[in-house]
Amino acid sequence: MSALLWLLLPVAAASGWLVALRSERRRQRRPPPELNEHYFKGLNLLLNEQPDKAIEVFVDMLEVDSDTVETHMALGNLFRRRGEVDRAIRIHQNLIARPTLERDQRNTALLELSRDYMRAGLFDRAENLLQELLDTSAHAPAALGHLLDIYQQEKEWDKAIQVARRLEGLNGRHMHPVVAQFHCEQAEQAMRHGDAAGATRLLKRALNHDPNCVRASLLQARLAREAGDHRTAVQVLKRIEKQDIDFLPEALPELKAGYTALGAQPELMRYLQEIAGRYRGVTPALMLSELIEARDGAAAAVEYLTAYLRERPSIRGLERMIHLDLGSSEGRAREDLLLLRDLTARLLEDRPRYRCHNCGFEAKALHWQCPSCKEWNRIKPIYGVEGE
Ligand SMILES: [Zn+2]
């Protein structure tokens, strides 16, 4: 608070001086005493540690004219950045109300006011201002970008898709993967309402926009499974490896369920064997070790996993090994293994499994849109000894 006030103080003083100087030039008179009065009143309030009242006085004494518009704009933005949105709104509204404002300045003030409203959560008001800007083609890329944010937060996916397309036409940014995600959001809504046919249609649209949309494939597989069509579910899930192999761990549990429903365990084991060689994470090897244990016993699973972990060390692999060894150990060796199991569990506890490649946000669950930077398709599994 105090830093802002000390910044305002000279601005207010200079503004008073400027106004005074201009009016003296105009009328060859002394500066109006009222300004000095305001200034000293503000200063007094400041010195008496009443910063809120001091800000009001200083802001009020800044007369809006072509010389001080920039100052008002900067002040409003500063208030918004500091989270004092009410003050920012007042300053920007005050600017817009001036009939003498040039058109460019008015449009800039409208854009800033819409940002204030967004910050305050007043999306309807922000939307109206942004539409007004778009009608005059002013600040179109920024206005469309903000509208896209609003429609995503409000989950108005049809409008979000329209805006994304306009934005793509305007600045050439490749929006197809994002539009595909919007269609996936719509498909999930349809699925929640039991509208499988609608969801199927929307997922096709998603894949038309982005053939590598993993989320659309996962949803298609879920629809197929729910309809009892496990063969299609398996086919769709096997596509994910080619769409983006980083998302393979998302597909594997469903794939296992599909193959199991079809009674095709050997086929699943062959697939896992193959994919464990191509994929750099540990999940397929862990799943395969479970299947080997069920078919050939723990010793065979340990043998497989030991060979795998020699090539690619992994704490999750180690945890699985300990679990397998525990079944056949006794006495001191068993105690040691239990200690190791606790240690690995603690190592893995609270470890994030996913990270945003845009902002570094870490999470334990997969988010298609980063909760922190709001970018789509940027969160992926973390690889390495402690990760996938
Ligand atoms: Zn992010």
Side-chain angles (χ1 to χ4, degrees), residues 356 358-361 370 372-373:
C356 174
N358 187 49
C359 73
F361 174 85
C370 174
S372 175
C373 69

Side-chain angles (χ1 to χ4, degrees), residues 279-291:
Y279 174 67
R280 58 185 169 138
V282 72
T283 302
L286 293 180
M287 190 174 270
L288 187 56
S289 78
E290 275 173 36
L291 296 170

Side-chain angles (χ1 to χ4, degrees), residues 74-86:
L75 264 179
N77 298 351
L78 194 61
F79 280 129
R80 184 178 64 239
R81 274 204 297 280
R82 294 167 50 89
E84 297 178 53
V85 188
D86 287 349

